[in-house]
Amino acid sequence: MGDPFPFEAPYWVRDRPVPLDPQWDDQPCALPFHPLELGNEALRALFGFLLEGRPGPEDIDPDEVPLLGFRLSDPDSGPGPDPAHAPETVARASRTTRRLGAE
């Protein structure tokens, strides 16, 4: 939906066709490109790294991207949270159940 991003243009104007390989499939690809190639290019354009393929000199090493970690615990078991760990206290105090559906 909406306007395509600049990195999508070569895919939608059929500049990146999928070659037919009879060993894999006897039908051509339904899209004018391979969806995994577009997905990989989206990773590069939006986040600066690739998971597959040959990275360029400007690409970030995905193994070097720092991620936040969280520990989930049952607030009904064990001793209460340590006041020195405020985020853990908030996580324990804000236990919420959500359900999908009409209700």
Side-chain angles (χ1 to χ4, degrees):
M1 294 178 64
D3 295 330
F5 288 101
F7 70 85
E8 293 180 272
Y11 294 91
W12 289 112
V13 296
R14 301 182 185 271
D15 282 352
R16 309 277 171 95
V18 179
L20 181 61
D21 186 349
Q23 290 182 344
W24 287 94
D25 198 3
D26 59 354
Q27 298 288 325
C29 185
L31 293 170
F33 53 84
H34 195 291
L36 290 177
E37 289 181 16
L38 176 59
N40 207 31
E41 201 58 42
L43 280 175
R44 173 182 272 151
L46 299 174
F47 301 109
F49 65 86
L50 297 176
L51 292 178
E52 292 185 8
R54 188 170 297 189
E58 70 283 349
D59 290 336
I60 297 168
D61 180 357
D63 293 331
E64 298 297 319
V65 176
L67 300 174
L68 296 176
F70 298 92
R71 182 181 318 174
L72 299 178
S73 59
D74 183 356
D76 298 328
S77 67
D82 181 353
H85 297 95
E88 187 176 17
T89 303
V90 170
R92 285 176 173 254
S94 63
R95 182 174 173 183
T96 303
T97 301
R98 292 192 170 87
R99 296 183 184 169
L100 296 175
E103 329 134 8

Coordinates of all heavy atoms in Angstrom, one line a residue:
M1 N 0.8 -1.2 0.0 CA 0.0 0.0 0.0 C 0.9 1.2 0.0 O 1.9 1.2 0.6 CB -0.9 0.0 1.2 CG -1.9 -1.1 1.2 SD -2.9 -1.2 2.7 CE -3.8 0.3 2.6
G2 N 0.4 2.2 -0.6 CA 1.2 3.5 -0.7 C 2.3 3.5 -1.8 O 2.4 2.6 -2.6
D3 N 3.0 4.6 -1.8 CA 4.1 4.7 -2.7 C 5.3 3.8 -2.4 O 5.6 3.6 -1.2 CB 4.6 6.2 -2.8 CG 3.5 7.1 -3.3 OD1 2.7 6.7 -4.1 OD2 3.5 8.3 -2.8
P4 N 5.9 3.2 -3.4 CA 7.0 2.3 -3.1 C 8.2 3.1 -2.7 O 8.4 4.3 -3.0 CB 7.3 1.6 -4.5 CG 6.5 2.3 -5.5 CD 5.5 3.2 -4.8
F5 N 9.1 2.5 -1.9 CA 10.3 3.1 -1.5 C 11.3 3.1 -2.7 O 11.1 2.2 -3.6 CB 10.9 2.3 -0.3 CG 10.2 2.5 1.0 CD1 9.4 1.6 1.4 CD2 10.4 3.7 1.8 CE1 8.7 1.7 2.7 CE2 9.8 3.8 3.0 CZ 8.9 2.9 3.4
P6 N 12.3 4.0 -2.7 CA 13.2 4.0 -3.8 C 13.9 2.7 -4.1 O 14.1 2.3 -5.2 CB 14.2 5.1 -3.5 CG 13.5 6.0 -2.5 CD 12.5 5.1 -1.8
F7 N 14.2 1.9 -3.0 CA 14.9 0.6 -3.2 C 14.0 -0.4 -3.9 O 14.5 -1.4 -4.4 CB 15.5 0.1 -1.9 CG 14.4 -0.4 -0.9 CD1 13.9 -1.7 -1.0 CD2 13.9 0.5 0.0 CE1 12.9 -2.1 -0.1 CE2 12.9 0.0 0.9 CZ 12.4 -1.3 0.8
E8 N 12.7 -0.2 -3.9 CA 11.8 -1.2 -4.5 C 11.7 -1.0 -6.0 O 11.3 -1.9 -6.7 CB 10.4 -1.0 -3.9 CG 10.2 -1.4 -2.5 CD 8.8 -1.2 -2.0 OE1 8.5 -0.1 -1.5 OE2 8.0 -2.1 -2.1
A9 N 12.0 0.2 -6.5 CA 11.7 0.5 -8.0 C 12.3 -0.5 -8.9 O 11.6 -1.0 -9.8 CB 12.2 1.9 -8.3
P10 N 13.6 -0.9 -8.8 CA 14.1 -1.9 -9.8 C 13.4 -3.2 -9.8 O 13.3 -3.9 -10.8 CB 15.6 -2.1 -9.4 CG 15.9 -1.1 -8.4 CD 14.6 -0.5 -7.9
Y11 N 12.8 -3.6 -8.7 CA 12.0 -4.9 -8.6 C 10.7 -4.8 -9.3 O 10.3 -5.7 -10.0 CB 11.9 -5.3 -7.1 CG 13.2 -5.6 -6.5 CD1 13.9 -4.6 -5.8 CD2 13.7 -6.8 -6.5 CE1 15.1 -4.9 -5.2 CE2 14.9 -7.2 -5.9 CZ 15.6 -6.2 -5.3 OH 16.8 -6.4 -4.7
W12 N 10.0 -3.7 -9.1 CA 8.6 -3.5 -9.7 C 8.7 -3.2 -11.2 O 7.7 -3.4 -11.9 CB 7.8 -2.5 -8.9 CG 7.4 -3.0 -7.6 CD1 7.9 -2.6 -6.4 CD2 6.6 -4.1 -7.3 NE1 7.3 -3.3 -5.3 CE2 6.5 -4.3 -5.9 CE3 5.8 -5.0 -8.0 CZ2 5.8 -5.3 -5.2 CZ3 5.1 -6.0 -7.4 CH2 5.0 -6.1 -6.0
V13 N 9.8 -2.7 -11.7 CA 9.8 -2.4 -13.1 C 10.5 -3.5 -13.9 O 10.9 -3.4 -15.0 CB 10.5 -1.1 -13.4 CG1 9.7 0.1 -12.9 CG2 11.9 -1.0 -13.0
R14 N 10.6 -4.7 -13.2 CA 11.1 -5.9 -13.8 C 12.6 -5.9 -14.1 O 13.0 -6.6 -15.1 CB 10.3 -6.3 -15.0 CG 8.8 -6.6 -14.6 CD 8.0 -7.0 -15.8 NE 6.6 -7.1 -15.5 CZ 6.0 -8.2 -15.0 NH1 6.7 -9.2 -14.8 NH2 4.7 -8.1 -14.7
D15 N 13.4 -5.1 -13.4 CA 14.8 -5.1 -13.6 C 15.5 -6.3 -12.9 O 16.7 -6.5 -13.1 CB 15.5 -3.8 -13.2 CG 15.2 -2.7 -14.1 OD1 14.7 -2.9 -15.3 OD2 15.6 -1.5 -13.8
R16 N 14.8 -7.0 -12.0 CA 15.4 -8.1 -11.2 C 14.6 -9.3 -11.4 O 14.1 -9.9 -10.5 CB 15.5 -7.7 -9.8 CG 16.1 -6.4 -9.4 CD 17.6 -6.5 -9.4 NE 18.2 -5.2 -9.2 CZ 18.6 -4.7 -8.1 NH1 18.4 -5.2 -7.0 NH2 19.2 -3.5 -8.1
P17 N 14.5 -9.9 -12.7 CA 13.6 -11.0 -12.9 C 14.2 -12.3 -12.3 O 15.4 -12.4 -12.1 CB 13.5 -11.1 -14.4 CG 14.8 -10.5 -14.9 CD 15.1 -9.4 -13.9
V18 N 13.4 -13.2 -12.0 CA 13.8 -14.5 -11.5 C 14.0 -15.5 -12.6 O 13.0 -15.7 -13.4 CB 12.7 -15.1 -10.5 CG1 13.2 -16.5 -10.0 CG2 12.5 -14.2 -9.4
P19 N 15.2 -16.0 -12.9 CA 15.4 -16.9 -14.0 C 14.6 -18.2 -13.7 O 14.6 -18.7 -12.6 CB 16.9 -17.1 -14.1 CG 17.4 -16.6 -12.8 CD 16.4 -15.7 -12.2
L20 N 14.0 -18.8 -14.8 CA 13.3 -20.0 -14.6 C 14.4 -21.2 -14.6 O 15.2 -21.3 -15.4 CB 12.4 -20.2 -15.8 CG 11.6 -21.5 -15.8 CD1 10.7 -21.6 -14.6 CD2 10.8 -21.6 -17.1
D21 N 14.3 -21.9 -13.5 CA 15.2 -23.1 -13.4 C 14.4 -24.4 -13.4 O 13.7 -24.6 -12.4 CB 16.0 -23.0 -12.1 CG 17.0 -24.1 -11.9 OD1 17.0 -25.0 -12.7 OD2 17.8 -23.9 -11.0
P22 N 14.4 -25.1 -14.5 CA 13.5 -26.3 -14.6 C 13.8 -27.4 -13.5 O 12.9 -28.2 -13.2 CB 13.8 -26.9 -16.0 CG 14.6 -25.9 -16.6 CD 15.1 -24.9 -15.7
Q23 N 15.0 -27.3 -12.9 CA 15.3 -28.3 -11.9 C 14.5 -28.0 -10.6 O 14.2 -28.9 -9.8 CB 16.8 -28.3 -11.5 CG 17.6 -28.9 -12.7 CD 19.0 -29.0 -12.3 OE1 19.5 -28.3 -11.4 NE2 19.8 -29.8 -13.0
W24 N 14.1 -26.7 -10.4 CA 13.4 -26.3 -9.2 C 11.9 -26.2 -9.4 O 11.1 -26.6 -8.5 CB 13.9 -25.0 -8.7 CG 15.3 -25.1 -8.1 CD1 16.5 -24.9 -8.7 CD2 15.6 -25.4 -6.7 NE1 17.5 -25.1 -7.8 CE2 17.0 -25.4 -6.6 CE3 14.8 -25.8 -5.6 CZ2 17.6 -25.7 -5.4 CZ3 15.4 -26.1 -4.4 CH2 16.8 -26.0 -4.3
D25 N 11.5 -25.7 -10.5 CA 10.1 -25.5 -10.8 C 9.8 -25.4 -12.3 O 10.7 -24.9 -13.0 CB 9.7 -24.2 -10.1 CG 8.2 -24.1 -9.9 OD1 7.5 -25.0 -10.2 OD2 7.7 -23.0 -9.4
D26 N 8.7 -25.8 -12.7 CA 8.3 -25.7 -14.1 C 7.4 -24.5 -14.4 O 7.0 -24.2 -15.5 CB 7.6 -27.0 -14.6 CG 6.4 -27.3 -13.8 OD1 6.1 -26.6 -12.8 OD2 5.7 -28.2 -14.2
Q27 N 7.1 -23.7 -13.3 CA 6.3 -22.5 -13.5 C 7.1 -21.3 -13.2 O 8.0 -21.3 -12.3 CB 5.1 -22.5 -12.5 CG 4.2 -23.7 -12.6 CD 3.3 -23.5 -13.9 OE1 2.9 -22.3 -14.2 NE2 3.0 -24.6 -14.6
P28 N 7.0 -20.2 -13.9 CA 7.7 -19.0 -13.6 C 7.2 -18.4 -12.3 O 6.1 -18.6 -11.9 CB 7.4 -18.0 -14.8 CG 6.2 -18.6 -15.4 CD 6.1 -20.0 -15.1
C29 N 8.0 -17.5 -11.7 CA 7.6 -16.9 -10.4 C 6.4 -16.0 -10.7 O 6.4 -15.3 -11.7 CB 8.8 -16.1 -9.9 SG 8.6 -15.3 -8.3
A30 N 5.5 -15.9 -9.8 CA 4.3 -15.1 -9.9 C 4.6 -13.6 -9.8 O 3.9 -12.8 -10.4 CB 3.3 -15.5 -8.8
L31 N 5.7 -13.3 -9.1 CA 6.1 -11.9 -9.0 C 7.2 -11.6 -10.0 O 7.9 -12.5 -10.4 CB 6.6 -11.6 -7.6 CG 5.6 -11.7 -6.5 CD1 6.3 -11.6 -5.1 CD2 4.6 -10.5 -6.6
P32 N 7.4 -10.3 -10.4 CA 8.5 -10.0 -11.3 C 9.9 -10.0 -10.7 O 10.8 -9.6 -11.3 CB 8.1 -8.7 -11.9 CG 7.3 -8.0 -10.8 CD 6.6 -9.2 -10.1
F33 N 10.0 -10.6 -9.5 CA 11.2 -10.6 -8.7 C 11.1 -11.7 -7.7 O 10.0 -12.2 -7.4 CB 11.5 -9.3 -8.0 CG 10.4 -8.8 -7.2 CD1 10.2 -9.2 -5.9 CD2 9.5 -7.9 -7.7 CE1 9.2 -8.8 -5.1 CE2 8.4 -7.4 -6.9 CZ 8.3 -7.9 -5.6
H34 N 12.2 -12.1 -7.1 CA 12.2 -13.0 -6.0 C 11.9 -12.3 -4.7 O 12.6 -11.3 -4.3 CB 13.5 -13.8 -5.9 CG 13.4 -15.0 -5.0 ND1 13.2 -15.0 -3.7 CD2 13.4 -16.3 -5.4 CE1 13.1 -16.2 -3.2 NE2 13.2 -17.0 -4.2
P35 N 10.8 -12.6 -3.9 CA 10.5 -11.9 -2.7 C 11.6 -11.8 -1.7 O 11.7 -10.8 -1.0 CB 9.2 -12.6 -2.2 CG 9.0 -13.8 -3.0 CD 9.9 -13.7 -4.2
L36 N 12.4 -12.9 -1.6 CA 13.5 -12.8 -0.6 C 14.5 -11.8 -0.9 O 15.1 -11.2 -0.1 CB 14.1 -14.2 -0.4 CG 13.3 -15.2 0.3 CD1 14.0 -16.6 0.3 CD2 12.9 -14.8 1.7
E37 N 14.8 -11.6 -2.2 CA 15.7 -10.6 -2.6 C 15.2 -9.2 -2.3 O 16.0 -8.3 -1.8 CB 16.0 -10.7 -4.1 CG 16.8 -11.9 -4.5 CD 17.1 -11.9 -6.0 OE1 16.9 -10.9 -6.7 OE2 17.5 -13.0 -6.5
L38 N 13.9 -8.9 -2.5 CA 13.4 -7.6 -2.1 C 13.4 -7.5 -0.6 O 13.7 -6.4 -0.1 CB 11.9 -7.5 -2.6 CG 11.2 -6.2 -2.2 CD1 11.9 -5.0 -2.7 CD2 9.8 -6.3 -2.7
G39 N 13.1 -8.5 0.1 CA 13.2 -8.4 1.6 C 14.6 -8.1 2.1 O 14.8 -7.3 3.0
N40 N 15.6 -8.7 1.5 CA 17.0 -8.5 1.8 C 17.3 -7.0 1.5 O 18.0 -6.4 2.3 CB 17.9 -9.4 1.1 CG 19.1 -9.7 1.9 OD1 19.2 -9.7 3.1 ND2 20.2 -10.0 1.1
E41 N 16.9 -6.5 0.4 CA 17.2 -5.1 0.0 C 16.4 -4.2 1.0 O 16.9 -3.1 1.3 CB 16.8 -4.9 -1.4 CG 17.5 -3.7 -2.0 CD 19.0 -3.8 -2.0 OE1 19.5 -4.9 -2.2 OE2 19.6 -2.7 -1.7
A42 N 15.3 -4.6 1.5 CA 14.5 -3.7 2.4 C 15.3 -3.7 3.7 O 15.4 -2.6 4.4 CB 13.1 -4.3 2.7
L43 N 15.9 -4.8 4.2 CA 16.8 -4.8 5.4 C 17.9 -3.8 5.2 O 18.2 -3.0 6.1 CB 17.3 -6.2 5.7 CG 16.4 -7.1 6.3 CD1 17.1 -8.5 6.4 CD2 16.0 -6.7 7.7
R44 N 18.5 -3.8 4.0 CA 19.7 -2.9 3.8 C 19.2 -1.5 3.8 O 19.8 -0.6 4.5 CB 20.3 -3.3 2.5 CG 21.4 -2.2 2.1 CD 22.0 -2.5 0.7 NE 23.1 -3.5 1.0 CZ 23.5 -4.4 0.1 NH1 22.9 -4.5 -1.1 NH2 24.6 -5.1 0.4
A45 N 18.1 -1.2 3.1 CA 17.7 0.2 3.0 C 17.2 0.8 4.3 O 17.4 1.9 4.7 CB 16.6 0.3 1.9
L46 N 16.4 0.0 5.1 CA 15.8 0.5 6.3 C 16.6 0.3 7.5 O 16.5 1.1 8.4 CB 14.4 -0.3 6.5 CG 13.4 -0.1 5.3 CD1 12.2 -1.0 5.6 CD2 13.0 1.3 5.2
F47 N 17.5 -0.7 7.6 CA 18.2 -1.0 8.8 C 19.7 -1.0 8.6 O 20.5 -1.0 9.6 CB 17.8 -2.3 9.4 CG 16.3 -2.3 9.8 CD1 15.4 -3.1 9.0 CD2 15.8 -1.5 10.8 CE1 14.1 -3.1 9.3 CE2 14.5 -1.5 11.0 CZ 13.6 -2.3 10.3
G48 N 20.2 -1.0 7.4 CA 21.6 -0.9 7.1 C 22.4 -2.2 7.2 O 23.6 -2.1 7.2
F49 N 21.7 -3.3 7.1 CA 22.5 -4.6 7.1 C 21.7 -5.6 6.3 O 20.6 -5.5 5.9 CB 22.7 -5.1 8.5 CG 21.5 -5.5 9.3 CD1 20.9 -6.8 9.1 CD2 20.9 -4.6 10.1 CE1 19.8 -7.1 9.8 CE2 19.7 -5.0 10.9 CZ 19.2 -6.2 10.7
L50 N 22.5 -6.7 5.9 CA 21.9 -7.8 5.2 C 22.0 -9.1 6.1 O 23.0 -9.2 6.9 CB 22.7 -8.1 3.9 CG 22.8 -7.0 2.9 CD1 23.7 -7.4 1.7 CD2 21.4 -6.8 2.3
L51 N 21.1 -10.0 5.8 CA 21.3 -11.3 6.5 C 21.8 -12.3 5.5 O 22.4 -13.3 5.9 CB 19.9 -11.8 7.0 CG 19.4 -10.9 8.2 CD1 18.0 -11.4 8.7 CD2 20.4 -11.0 9.4
E52 N 21.6 -12.1 4.2 CA 22.1 -13.0 3.2 C 22.7 -12.2 2.1 O 22.3 -11.1 1.9 CB 21.0 -13.9 2.6 CG 20.4 -14.9 3.6 CD 19.4 -15.8 2.9 OE1 19.2 -15.7 1.7 OE2 18.7 -16.5 3.6
G53 N 23.6 -12.8 1.4 CA 24.3 -12.1 0.3 C 25.6 -11.4 0.7 O 26.1 -11.6 1.8
R54 N 26.2 -10.7 -0.3 CA 27.4 -10.1 0.0 C 27.2 -8.7 0.5 O 26.7 -7.8 -0.2 CB 28.2 -10.1 -1.4 CG 29.6 -9.6 -1.2 CD 30.4 -9.9 -2.4 NE 30.4 -11.3 -2.7 CZ 31.1 -11.9 -3.6 NH1 31.8 -11.2 -4.4 NH2 31.1 -13.2 -3.7
P55 N 27.7 -8.4 1.7 CA 27.5 -7.0 2.2 C 28.4 -6.0 1.5 O 29.5 -6.4 1.1 CB 27.9 -7.1 3.7 CG 28.7 -8.4 3.8 CD 28.3 -9.3 2.6
G56 N 27.9 -4.8 1.4 CA 28.7 -3.7 0.8 C 29.5 -3.1 1.9 O 29.4 -3.3 3.1
P57 N 30.5 -2.2 1.5 CA 31.3 -1.6 2.5 C 30.6 -0.7 3.5 O 31.0 -0.5 4.6 CB 32.3 -0.8 1.7 CG 31.7 -0.7 0.3 CD 30.8 -1.8 0.2
E58 N 29.4 -0.2 3.1 CA 28.6 0.7 4.0 C 27.7 -0.1 4.9 O 27.1 0.5 5.8 CB 27.9 1.7 3.2 CG 26.7 1.2 2.4 CD 27.1 0.5 1.1 OE1 28.3 0.5 0.7 OE2 26.3 -0.2 0.5
D59 N 27.5 -1.4 4.7 CA 26.6 -2.2 5.5 C 27.2 -2.5 6.9 O 28.4 -2.6 7.1 CB 26.4 -3.6 4.8 CG 25.5 -3.4 3.5 OD1 24.8 -2.4 3.4 OD2 25.6 -4.3 2.7
I60 N 26.2 -2.5 7.8 CA 26.6 -2.8 9.2 C 26.6 -4.3 9.4 O 25.9 -5.1 8.8 CB 25.4 -2.2 10.1 CG1 25.4 -0.7 10.0 CG2 25.6 -2.6 11.6 CD1 24.2 -0.1 10.6
D61 N 27.5 -4.8 10.3 CA 27.6 -6.2 10.6 C 26.4 -6.5 11.6 O 26.4 -5.9 12.7 CB 28.9 -6.5 11.3 CG 29.0 -8.0 11.7 OD1 28.1 -8.8 11.5 OD2 30.1 -8.4 12.1
P62 N 25.4 -7.3 11.2 CA 24.3 -7.6 12.1 C 24.6 -8.2 13.4 O 23.9 -8.0 14.4 CB 23.4 -8.5 11.2 CG 24.2 -9.1 10.2 CD 25.3 -8.1 10.0
D63 N 25.8 -8.8 13.5 CA 26.2 -9.4 14.7 C 26.7 -8.4 15.7 O 26.9 -8.6 16.9 CB 27.3 -10.5 14.5 CG 26.8 -11.7 13.8 OD1 25.6 -12.0 13.9 OD2 27.6 -12.3 13.1
E64 N 26.9 -7.1 15.2 CA 27.4 -6.1 16.1 C 26.3 -5.1 16.5 O 26.6 -4.1 17.2 CB 28.5 -5.3 15.3 CG 29.7 -6.1 14.9 CD 30.5 -6.6 16.2 OE1 30.6 -5.9 17.2 OE2 30.9 -7.8 16.1
V65 N 25.1 -5.4 16.2 CA 24.0 -4.5 16.6 C 23.6 -4.8 18.0 O 23.2 -6.0 18.3 CB 22.8 -4.7 15.6 CG1 21.6 -3.9 16.1 CG2 23.1 -4.3 14.2
P66 N 23.7 -3.9 18.9 CA 23.3 -4.2 20.3 C 21.8 -4.3 20.4 O 21.0 -3.6 19.8 CB 23.8 -2.9 21.1 CG 23.9 -1.9 20.1 CD 24.2 -2.5 18.7
L67 N 21.4 -5.3 21.2 CA 19.9 -5.5 21.5 C 19.7 -5.4 23.0 O 20.5 -5.8 23.8 CB 19.5 -6.8 20.9 CG 19.7 -7.1 19.4 CD1 19.3 -8.5 19.1 CD2 18.8 -6.1 18.7
L68 N 18.5 -5.0 23.4 CA 18.1 -5.0 24.8 C 17.6 -6.3 25.1 O 16.9 -7.0 24.3 CB 17.1 -3.9 25.0 CG 17.5 -2.5 24.8 CD1 16.3 -1.5 25.0 CD2 18.6 -2.1 25.8
G69 N 17.8 -6.8 26.3 CA 17.3 -8.1 26.7 C 16.4 -7.8 27.9 O 16.5 -6.9 28.7
F70 N 15.4 -8.7 28.1 CA 14.4 -8.6 29.1 C 14.3 -10.0 29.8 O 14.4 -11.0 29.1 CB 13.1 -8.2 28.6 CG 13.1 -6.8 28.0 CD1 13.3 -6.6 26.7 CD2 13.0 -5.7 28.8 CE1 13.4 -5.4 26.1 CE2 13.0 -4.4 28.3 CZ 13.2 -4.3 26.9
R71 N 14.1 -10.0 31.1 CA 13.9 -11.3 31.8 C 12.4 -11.3 32.2 O 12.0 -10.3 32.9 CB 14.8 -11.4 32.9 CG 14.6 -12.7 33.7 CD 15.5 -12.8 34.9 NE 16.8 -12.4 34.5 CZ 17.8 -12.2 35.4 NH1 17.6 -12.6 36.6 NH2 19.0 -11.8 35.0
L72 N 11.7 -12.3 31.9 CA 10.3 -12.4 32.3 C 10.3 -13.4 33.5 O 11.0 -14.4 33.5 CB 9.4 -12.9 31.2 CG 9.4 -12.1 30.0 CD1 8.5 -12.7 28.9 CD2 8.8 -10.7 30.3
S73 N 9.5 -13.0 34.5 CA 9.4 -13.9 35.6 C 7.9 -13.9 36.1 O 7.2 -12.9 35.9 CB 10.3 -13.5 36.8 OG 10.1 -12.2 37.2
D74 N 7.6 -14.9 36.9 CA 6.2 -15.0 37.4 C 6.2 -14.2 38.7 O 6.9 -14.5 39.7 CB 5.9 -16.5 37.7 CG 4.5 -16.6 38.1 OD1 3.8 -15.6 38.4 OD2 4.1 -17.8 38.3
P75 N 5.4 -13.1 38.8 CA 5.3 -12.3 40.0 C 4.7 -13.0 41.2 O 4.9 -12.6 42.3 CB 4.4 -11.1 39.6 CG 3.6 -11.6 38.4 CD 4.5 -12.6 37.7
D76 N 4.1 -14.2 40.9 CA 3.5 -14.9 42.0 C 4.5 -15.9 42.7 O 4.1 -16.6 43.6 CB 2.2 -15.6 41.6 CG 1.2 -14.6 41.1 OD1 1.1 -13.5 41.6 OD2 0.5 -15.0 40.1
S77 N 5.7 -16.1 42.1 CA 6.6 -17.0 42.7 C 7.9 -16.4 43.2 O 8.3 -15.4 42.6 CB 7.0 -18.1 41.6 OG 7.7 -17.5 40.6
G78 N 8.4 -16.8 44.3 CA 9.6 -16.3 44.8 C 9.5 -15.0 45.5 O 8.4 -14.5 45.7
P79 N 10.6 -14.5 46.0 CA 10.6 -13.2 46.7 C 10.2 -12.1 45.8 O 10.3 -12.2 44.5 CB 12.0 -13.1 47.2 CG 12.8 -13.9 46.2 CD 12.0 -15.0 45.8
G80 N 9.8 -11.0 46.3 CA 9.4 -9.8 45.6 C 10.6 -9.2 44.8 O 11.7 -9.6 45.0
P81 N 10.3 -8.3 43.9 CA 11.4 -7.7 43.1 C 12.3 -6.8 43.9 O 11.9 -6.2 44.9 CB 10.6 -6.8 42.1 CG 9.3 -6.6 42.7 CD 9.0 -7.7 43.6
D82 N 13.6 -6.7 43.5 CA 14.6 -5.9 44.1 C 14.3 -4.5 43.8 O 14.2 -4.1 42.6 CB 15.9 -6.4 43.6 CG 17.1 -5.6 44.3 OD1 16.8 -4.6 45.0 OD2 18.2 -6.0 44.1
P83 N 14.1 -3.6 44.8 CA 13.9 -2.2 44.4 C 14.9 -1.5 43.6 O 14.7 -0.5 42.9 CB 13.7 -1.5 45.8 CG 13.7 -2.6 46.8 CD 14.1 -3.8 46.2
A84 N 16.1 -2.1 43.6 CA 17.2 -1.5 42.8 C 17.0 -1.8 41.3 O 17.7 -1.2 40.5 CB 18.6 -2.1 43.2
H85 N 16.1 -2.6 40.9 CA 15.8 -2.9 39.5 C 14.4 -2.4 39.2 O 13.5 -3.2 39.1 CB 15.9 -4.4 39.3 CG 17.3 -5.0 39.5 ND1 17.6 -5.5 40.7 CD2 18.4 -5.0 38.7 CE1 18.9 -5.9 40.6 NE2 19.4 -5.6 39.4
A86 N 14.3 -1.1 39.0 CA 13.0 -0.5 38.7 C 12.3 -1.1 37.5 O 11.1 -1.4 37.6 CB 13.2 1.0 38.6
P87 N 12.9 -1.3 36.4 CA 12.2 -1.9 35.2 C 11.6 -3.2 35.6 O 10.4 -3.5 35.2 CB 13.2 -2.0 34.1 CG 14.2 -1.0 34.5 CD 14.3 -0.9 36.0
E88 N 12.3 -4.1 36.3 CA 11.8 -5.4 36.7 C 10.6 -5.2 37.6 O 9.6 -5.9 37.5 CB 12.8 -6.2 37.4 CG 12.4 -7.6 37.7 CD 13.5 -8.5 38.3 OE1 14.5 -7.9 38.8 OE2 13.4 -9.7 38.2
T89 N 10.6 -4.2 38.5 CA 9.5 -3.9 39.4 C 8.3 -3.5 38.6 O 7.2 -4.0 38.8 CB 9.9 -2.8 40.4 OG1 11.0 -3.2 41.1 CG2 8.7 -2.5 41.3
V90 N 8.4 -2.7 37.6 CA 7.3 -2.2 36.8 C 6.8 -3.4 36.0 O 5.6 -3.6 35.9 CB 7.8 -1.1 35.8 CG1 6.7 -0.8 34.8 CG2 8.1 0.1 36.6
A91 N 7.7 -4.3 35.4 CA 7.2 -5.4 34.7 C 6.4 -6.3 35.5 O 5.4 -6.9 35.1 CB 8.4 -6.1 34.0
R92 N 6.8 -6.5 36.8 CA 6.1 -7.4 37.7 C 4.8 -6.8 38.1 O 3.8 -7.5 38.2 CB 6.9 -7.7 38.9 CG 8.0 -8.7 38.7 CD 8.9 -8.9 39.9 NE 9.8 -9.9 39.8 CZ 9.8 -11.1 40.3 NH1 8.7 -11.4 41.1 NH2 10.7 -12.0 40.1
A93 N 4.8 -5.5 38.3 CA 3.6 -4.8 38.8 C 2.5 -4.7 37.7 O 1.3 -4.5 38.0 CB 3.9 -3.5 39.4
S94 N 2.9 -4.7 36.4 CA 2.0 -4.4 35.4 C 1.6 -5.6 34.6 O 1.5 -5.7 33.4 CB 2.6 -3.4 34.4 OG 3.7 -3.9 33.8
R95 N 1.3 -6.7 35.3 CA 0.9 -7.9 34.7 C -0.5 -7.8 34.1 O -1.5 -7.4 34.8 CB 0.9 -9.0 35.7 CG 0.5 -10.4 35.2 CD 0.7 -11.4 36.3 NE 0.2 -12.7 35.8 CZ 0.2 -13.8 36.6 NH1 0.7 -13.7 37.8 NH2 -0.2 -14.9 36.1
T96 N -0.6 -8.0 32.8 CA -1.9 -7.8 32.1 C -2.1 -8.9 31.1 O -1.2 -9.5 30.5 CB -1.8 -6.5 31.2 OG1 -1.4 -5.4 32.1 CG2 -3.1 -6.2 30.5
T97 N -3.4 -9.3 31.0 CA -3.8 -10.4 30.1 C -4.6 -9.7 29.0 O -5.5 -8.9 29.3 CB -4.6 -11.4 30.8 OG1 -3.9 -12.0 31.9 CG2 -5.1 -12.5 29.8
R98 N -4.2 -10.0 27.8 CA -4.9 -9.4 26.6 C -5.4 -10.6 25.8 O -4.7 -11.6 25.6 CB -4.0 -8.6 25.8 CG -3.6 -7.3 26.5 CD -3.0 -6.3 25.6 NE -2.8 -5.0 26.2 CZ -1.8 -4.6 26.9 NH1 -0.8 -5.5 27.2 NH2 -1.8 -3.5 27.5
R99 N -6.6 -10.4 25.2 CA -7.2 -11.5 24.3 C -7.6 -10.8 23.1 O -8.1 -9.7 23.0 CB -8.4 -12.1 25.0 CG -8.0 -12.9 26.2 CD -9.1 -13.6 26.8 NE -8.6 -14.2 28.1 CZ -9.4 -14.7 29.0 NH1 -10.7 -14.7 28.8 NH2 -8.9 -15.2 30.1
L100 N -7.5 -11.5 22.0 CA -7.9 -11.1 20.7 C -9.4 -11.6 20.5 O -9.7 -12.7 20.9 CB -7.1 -11.6 19.6 CG -5.6 -11.1 19.6 CD1 -4.8 -11.8 18.5 CD2 -5.6 -9.6 19.4
G101 N -10.2 -10.8 19.9 CA -11.6 -11.2 19.6 C -12.5 -10.1 19.8 O -12.2 -8.9 20.0
A102 N -13.8 -10.4 19.7 CA -14.9 -9.4 19.7 C -15.0 -8.7 21.1 O -15.4 -7.6 21.2 CB -16.2 -10.0 19.3
E103 N -14.7 -9.5 22.1 CA -14.8 -8.9 23.5 C -13.7 -7.9 23.6 O -13.5 -7.3 24.5 CB -14.8 -9.9 24.6 CG -15.3 -11.2 24.2 CD -14.6 -12.4 24.6 OE1 -13.6 -12.5 25.3 OE2 -15.2 -13.4 24.0

